[in-house]
């Protein structure tokens, strides 16, 4: 397979850098097509020697400078992993993070990584939304993408129909209740729902669940989406 600059419709994507490539190999080895290594690559130690990792995992590799010239641009990248996209649907009985029309690859990558750090492994993206398989998203997640489950839906109504037992918490600037006032219902799965970086959730979402507000000063318009998700994910992992 000849690797070209990533396009959304392509059946494959690739990692840029050692850390996300190692996560790909560890979590999704069956999806790996090939590992590419820059001629200037120098192993740091045996544990992070990509040649040894590939031999140990029986994955094909190739030393090829042209691939890096074509795909990594001016970035300081010496290891690259190509892989075929895969399906990993979310589980129905666990907490979900639901992003309605996210548009920034960096934000999405940070959300995936932070969410995983707080134990949230099930992510829903309501279309249209940024592509989680974009190499920029993968790199921003530091490879955390390969640890999570991911589902795409065409509307939030479709989500509610598929997961009627989840308690819905919609995060909005005009949410009626402060995050500190929210108490999880023991044993009941829940969904933390966030809107687009620029517009947030539409006002209609206030009637679709419990609208929640993260308190902030009036010196800013709103929190960055990835910051808001991080605060909410932390709060919902704390026991009352």
């Amino acid at each position: 397979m000849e690797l070209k600059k990533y396009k959304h419709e392509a059946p494959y994507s690739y990692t840029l850098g050692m850390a996300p490539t190692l996560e790909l190999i560890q979590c999704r080895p069956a999806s790996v097509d090939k590992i590419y290594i820059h001629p200037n690559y120098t192993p740091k130690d045996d544990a992070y020697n990509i040649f040894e990792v590939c031999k140990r995992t029986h994955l094909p590799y190739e030393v090829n400078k042209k691939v890096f010239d074509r795909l990594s641009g001016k970035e300081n990248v010496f290891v690259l992993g190509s892989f075929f996209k895969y399906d990993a649907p979310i589980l129905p009985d666990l907490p979900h993070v639901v992003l309605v029309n996210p548009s920034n690859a960096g934000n999405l990558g940070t959300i995936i990584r932070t969410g995983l750090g707080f134990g949230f492994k099930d992510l829903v993206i309501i279309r249209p939304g940024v592509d989680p398989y974009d190499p920029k998203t993968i790199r921003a997640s530091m490879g955390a993408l390969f640890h999570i489950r991911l589902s795409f839906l065409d509307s939030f109504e479709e989500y509610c129909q598929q997961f009627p037992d989840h308690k819905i918490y919609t995060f909005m600037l005009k949410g009626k209740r402060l995050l500190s006032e929210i108490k999880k219902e023991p044993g009941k799965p829940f969904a933390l729902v966030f809107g687009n970086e620029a517009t947030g959730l539409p006002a209609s979402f206030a009637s679709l669940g419990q609208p929640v507000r993260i308190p902030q000063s009036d010196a800013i318009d709103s929190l960055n989406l990835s910051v808001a998700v991080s605060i909410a994910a932390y709060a919902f992992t704390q026991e009352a």
Side-chain angles (χ1 to χ4, degrees), residues 155-175:
S155 70
F156 188 68
E157 289 73 20
E158 184 179 353
Y159 173 81
C160 293
Q161 291 171 5
Q162 288 193 23
F163 304 98
D165 294 331
H166 274 63
K167 173 76 173 180
I168 304 295
Y169 298 96
T170 54
F171 284 77
M172 310 176 72
L173 289 175
K174 296 183 179 180

Side-chain angles (χ1 to χ4, degrees), residues 16 20 30 61 79 109 127 139 143 151 153 156 172 181 194 197 199 208:
L16 294 171
Y61 66 89
V79 175
R127 299 186 183 98
R139 194 164 196 195
S151 288
L153 297 174
F156 188 68
M172 310 176 72
E181 300 172 344
F194 300 85
E197 289 89 341
T199 59
L208 298 178

Side-chain angles (χ1 to χ4, degrees), residues 97-104 106-108 110-111 114 130 171 192-198 200-201 214 222-232:
V97 171
V98 181
L99 303 180
V100 180
N101 313 137
S103 60
N104 184 280
N107 274 341
L108 179 57
T110 302
I111 289 167
T114 305
V130 67
F171 284 77
L192 309 181
V193 184
F194 300 85
N196 175 271
E197 289 89 341
L201 289 173
I214 300 174
S222 63
L223 295 170
N224 175 277
L225 176 60
S226 61
V227 172
V229 175
S230 300
I231 293 171

Side-chain angles (χ1 to χ4, degrees), residues 22 25 46-58:
L22 287 176
I25 293 171
D46 288 342
Y48 291 94
N49 183 333
I50 194 63
F51 292 107
E52 294 302 319
V53 171
C54 289
K55 291 175 183 177
R56 188 166 62 247
T57 54
H58 307 289

Side-chain angles (χ1 to χ4, degrees), residues 95-143:
H96 301 157
V97 171
V98 181
L99 303 180
V100 180
N101 313 137
S103 60
N104 184 280
N107 274 341
L108 179 57
T110 302
I111 289 167
I112 291 170
R113 186 182 183 197
T114 305
L116 180 64
F118 290 122
F120 289 83
K121 293 186 176 182
D122 294 84
L123 176 66
V124 178
I125 293 179
I126 305 297
R127 299 186 183 98
V130 67
D131 185 355
Y133 292 110
D134 188 311
K136 295 177 182 177
T137 305
I138 297 171
R139 194 164 196 195
S141 82
M142 292 297 290

